[in-house]
């Protein structure tokens, strides 16, 4: 009967260990943001659940190279001025700002994607 107990213990513990080693607070990939043809900003592996700022003057084009979706905000600290809504950007897509609504100044991540490799 000893084999059954050992097997039962391993079948319970091993998946928990795998799950714990795969967890990460970062979102794997890169966000590439530009303003015109003269400015490019790249943010790699942003921390999940945190607001991330773009350059102080803002950006007008964003490419989402993360494994998860993001929300682009027109205000600082992931806020949006009245009448200037946020924009949802799914993974692997690129979008450009509507000039009349203003530039994007920050973004936040949405949901949990596949785990990032620990650094």
């Amino acid at each position: 009967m000893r084999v059954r107990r050992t097997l039962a213990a391993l079948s319970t513990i091993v998946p928990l260990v795998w799950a714990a080693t795969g967890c990460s607070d970062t979102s794997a990939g890169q966000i590439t943001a530009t303003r015109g043809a003269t400015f490019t900003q790249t943010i790699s592996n942003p921390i999940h659940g945190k607001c991330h700022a773009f350059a102080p003057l803002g950006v007008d084009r964003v490419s989402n190279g993360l494994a998860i979706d993001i929300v682009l905000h027109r205000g600082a600290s992931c806020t949006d001025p009245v009448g200037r809504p946020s924009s949802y950007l799914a993974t692997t897509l690129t979008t450009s700002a509507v000039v009349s609504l203003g530039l994007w100044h920050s973004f936040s991540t949405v949901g949990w994607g596949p785990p990032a490799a620990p650094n």
Side-chain angles (χ1 to χ4, degrees):
M1 294 300 159
R2 184 168 183 86
V3 173
R4 288 186 190 171
R5 287 184 191 163
T6 304
L7 185 58
L10 285 175
S11 65
T12 302
I13 293 170
V14 170
L16 293 175
V17 171
W18 283 339
T21 59
C23 292
S24 174
D25 288 341
T26 62
S27 305
Q30 291 184 333
I31 297 289
T32 304
T34 59
R35 184 178 57 250
T38 60
F39 176 79
T40 300
Q41 178 180 7
T42 301
I43 299 171
S44 298
N45 304 325
I47 296 172
H48 181 75
K50 181 180 175 189
C51 182
H52 299 275
F54 289 121
L57 295 177
V59 297
D60 60 7
R61 185 175 173 88
V62 178
S63 295
N64 182 1
L66 300 177
I68 60 173
D69 301 347
I70 61 173
V71 176
L72 302 167
H73 300 278
R74 299 200 189 295
S77 302
C78 294
T79 60
D80 294 297
V82 175
R84 296 183 177 182
S86 60
S87 300
Y88 189 92
L89 184 60
T91 184
T92 71
L93 297 181
T94 299
T95 189
S96 297
V98 176
V99 177
S100 62
L101 294 177
L103 302 176
W104 291 300
H105 292 274
S106 58
F107 76 92
S108 57
T109 57
V110 178
W112 289 95
N119 295 349

